[in-house]
Amino acid sequence: MEIERVQLQSHGDHGGMLIALEQNRNVPFEIRRVYYIFATEHDVHRGKHAHRHLHQLAVAVRGSVTFLVDDGSGAAEVVLDDPSQGLLLGRMVWRELYNFSDDCVLMVLADHLYDPADYITDYDEFLREAKGLVFPAELVACQSA
Ligand code: TYD
């Protein structure tokens, strides 16, 4: 599921709308962390990183935002502007977030706690790891043992 747009089932009537997110049901991982981004300033670019292991589901519960997603072999823009749509991001996806509407509230579910060591913040390093040109440290340790 490295990068996938998903439609979330809405339960609605004249009283309003409700969407439930459940681990290992419509969210294809265990939910260990939820965070949300809001009050973003105009022209701000966020993200600019990839994760070595993390899986995430992003939902613009209010407003809109554009994701640039790049798996190392090509990039695409995805606009999230509907609370019933989610964007699944698997491991090793470079992402940049921009065009936040003033009212945007972007909620993100993740399958691990916050871990700065899981981030790749250098794009060239991301490309090297995505293309398999860099061995994870634990494998290098095994090979030299
Ligand atoms: P960061 O991941 O850099 O945000 P973005 O990719 O959207 O630009 O995180 C911004 C700050 O928030 C940084 O100081 C780390 C902190 N942070 C946490 O403490 N916990 C979290 O779960 C996340 C995602 C960030």
Side-chain angles (χ1 to χ4, degrees):
M1 71 106 161
E2 301 313 325
I3 306 167
E4 191 185 342
R5 220 183 158 109
V6 290
Q7 184 66 41
L8 304 165
Q9 190 189 354
S10 300
H11 306 273
D13 55 24
H14 61 277
M17 306 296 285
L18 183 153
I19 291 175
L21 300 176
E22 298 181 288
Q23 71 176 14
N24 297 327
R25 286 190 169 173
N26 57 351
V27 179
F29 52 75
E30 291 191 12
I31 301 164
R32 294 211 172 84
R33 178 164 53 110
V34 179
Y35 62 90
Y36 39 98
I37 295 170
F38 58 100
T40 43
E41 289 181 10
H42 260 312
D43 300 328
V44 80
H45 280 230
R46 300 188 63 109
K48 295 188 178 176
H49 64 251
H51 289 282
R52 293 188 174 92
H53 302 292
L54 194 69
H55 295 83
Q56 294 179 300
L57 173 67
V59 180
V61 292
R62 187 178 181 92
S64 61
V65 58
T66 301
F67 277 69
L68 178 94
V69 287
D70 177 352
D71 65 1
S73 58
E77 276 193 334
V78 178
V79 175
L80 289 185
D81 59 0
D82 177 344
S84 71
Q85 290 192 353
L87 180 63
L88 281 167
L89 298 169
R91 56 188 300 279
M92 295 303 289
V93 176
W94 185 267
R95 80 288 309 268
E96 300 187 15
L97 288 64
Y98 42 87
N99 287 347
F100 287 90
S101 62
D102 287 342
D103 61 348
C104 183
V105 180
L106 180 69
M107 180 180 68
V108 183
L109 282 60
D111 66 347
H112 288 282
L113 302 182
Y114 176 63
D115 176 11
D118 191 54
Y119 281 63
I120 306 172
T121 55
D122 180 90
Y123 184 70
D124 291 334
E125 171 65 15
F126 161 70
L127 285 181
R128 281 194 293 275
E129 293 194 27
K131 292 178 194 308
L133 299 175
V134 175
F135 290 109
E138 60 269 25
L139 282 184
V140 173
C142 285
Q143 285 172 346
S144 59

